[in-house]
Amino acid sequence: MAKTFNELIDKAAQFVEQPLSFSKDNFIKEVEEYVKSLDEKRRNAIIGFISPQGMKAVKYSELPQVLRNDEDFFKRYVNALAKMKKLSIKK
């Protein structure tokens, strides 16, 4: 299970590159484990993404539920993390 942000990035890249390797629910469980590993200050931090509908701001503690309920946000979040993996490989 993902305990670090880098592990979460790896899982997102795997999800994008090998979509049959595990399900959306399994990825969200990875996010839940990552969120649980954060200290309280970090769990209350806000992350944001820009979408065609505007800006979306979410606390890390709310992230798993938002990923379950908002398919567009899920896709953007996973793709953003997967791109971080690709960027880090090129260095």
Side-chain angles (χ1 to χ4, degrees):
M1 290 295 193
K3 296 282 186 181
T4 68
F5 191 63
N6 285 337
E7 290 173 353
L8 196 58
I9 289 171
D10 290 341
K11 294 293 183 179
Q14 181 183 357
F15 186 82
V16 169
E17 294 167 0
Q18 302 168 5
L20 300 178
S21 61
F22 57 96
S23 69
K24 176 182 174 180
D25 287 336
N26 287 341
F27 179 78
I28 292 172
K29 287 178 185 174
E30 296 286 347
V31 173
E32 287 174 329
E33 286 300 314
Y34 171 68
V35 170
K36 286 179 188 176
S37 74
L38 299 174
D39 61 40
E40 187 170 341
K41 182 178 179 181
R42 180 70 183 209
R43 278 193 302 271
N44 289 319
I46 296 174
I47 59 171
F49 282 90
I50 298 173
S51 73
Q53 295 79 27
M55 179 80 171
K56 181 132 185 142
V58 177
K59 286 184 180 181
Y60 272 103
S61 61
E62 300 166 350
L63 184 58
Q65 191 62 38
V66 173
L67 292 173
R68 279 189 185 89
N69 296 333
D70 187 334
E71 188 66 29
D72 183 58
F73 185 78
F74 175 82
K75 289 176 185 175
R76 290 178 179 282
Y77 183 75
V78 171
N79 285 328
L81 291 182
K83 286 178 185 176
M84 288 180 191
K85 174 73 174 180
K86 290 183 179 188
L87 292 174
S88 65
I89 290 173
K90 293 178 182 178
K91 291 182 180 179

